[in-house]
Amino acid sequence: MPRPAPAGFAILAEDALELLRDPKLLEKVLGAFDAMGIVGERENLLAGYLVGVSRKLKAPLAMVIQSSSAAGKTAVLDAIVSLVPEEDRFSYSAISGQSLYYMGERSLRHRVLSIAEHTGAEKASYALKLLSSSKALTIASTGKDATTGRITSHE
C-alpha cells in the first residue's frame, strides 16, 4: 500500500490556476508518486493521474491496468487512486453483475471507480462496458407496487 500523498501536494483553489500554468506540473505529479515510493512507472502513473483528473469532464477517460501477475499493478492503482479525493472515489475488491445498476444515491458521475482485479469485475463487465461507452446505465426490473401489492416493472 503506498504512503499518502506528501503534505504540500494538496492545493488551495486560488493556487490551482497557477499550478496548471506551471511548465513543471507533470514533474510535480511524478514527485508526489516518488514520495509514495512508486518508481519506474512514469507513463502509467501520469496516464492514470490524467484519467483520474478527467473524472470532472463531460466525457471522462477510462483506464484498464493490465500486466502479468506480481508486476506491481495494485501498487500503481493504489497510488493513482490515493491522489483522488476520498469523496470522489469508489474502490472495490469485486462487484456483482447488477451492483452498478443499483448504486442509487452513490452516483458514479464525476467519480473514479476502482476495482482491484479483473476477476473482481468479470460479472460486471457488460455494465462497465456500457458505462464507459454510453456514460449511463439503466435497468428495468420487477418489484411489488407499494400501493397495490401487484408485481410491476420499475426503471
Side-chain angles (χ1 to χ4, degrees):
M1 184 86 163
R3 294 188 301 272
F9 192 72
I11 59 171
L12 300 173
E14 60 267 10
D15 297 330
L17 283 176
E18 183 179 336
L19 182 60
L20 286 172
R21 291 182 182 118
D22 187 335
K24 296 187 184 240
L25 172 61
L26 294 181
E27 291 304 317
K28 289 181 179 183
V29 171
L30 288 170
F33 288 120
D34 287 346
M36 287 184 245
I38 307 297
V39 295
E41 294 283 345
R42 293 175 59 91
E43 292 82 8
N44 292 331
L45 291 167
L46 283 176
Y49 180 76
L50 293 174
V51 167
V53 170
S54 81
R55 75 189 180 281
K56 297 296 186 178
L57 299 175
K58 184 177 180 182
L61 302 171
M63 180 177 195
V64 173
I65 300 173
Q66 185 174 352
S67 185
S68 58
S69 181
K73 298 178 298 289
T74 302
V76 169
L77 178 63
D78 288 347
I80 292 166
V81 171
S82 75
L83 293 182
V84 174
E86 195 171 323
E87 65 273 10
D88 281 359
R89 67 181 186 228
F90 293 106
S91 295
Y92 300 110
S93 300
I95 57 175
S96 71
Q98 298 292 304
S99 62
L100 293 175
Y101 292 98
Y102 295 100
M103 294 290 285
E105 296 173 5
R106 297 171 304 176
S107 170
L108 293 173
R109 185 175 305 276
H110 303 301
R111 306 280 194 309
V112 168
L113 173 63
S114 163
I115 306 164
E117 295 284 336
H118 172 72
T119 311
E122 275 180 327
K123 292 179 181 171
S125 62
Y126 181 68
L128 289 167
K129 178 190 165 297
L130 286 175
L131 189 58
S132 180
S133 61
S134 65
K135 311 294 184 231
L137 292 175
T138 58
I139 190 169
S141 61
T142 57
K144 219 178 240 190
D145 182 288
T147 309
T148 66
R150 300 176 96 184
I151 300 295
T152 184
S153 181
H154 298 279
E155 188 172 303

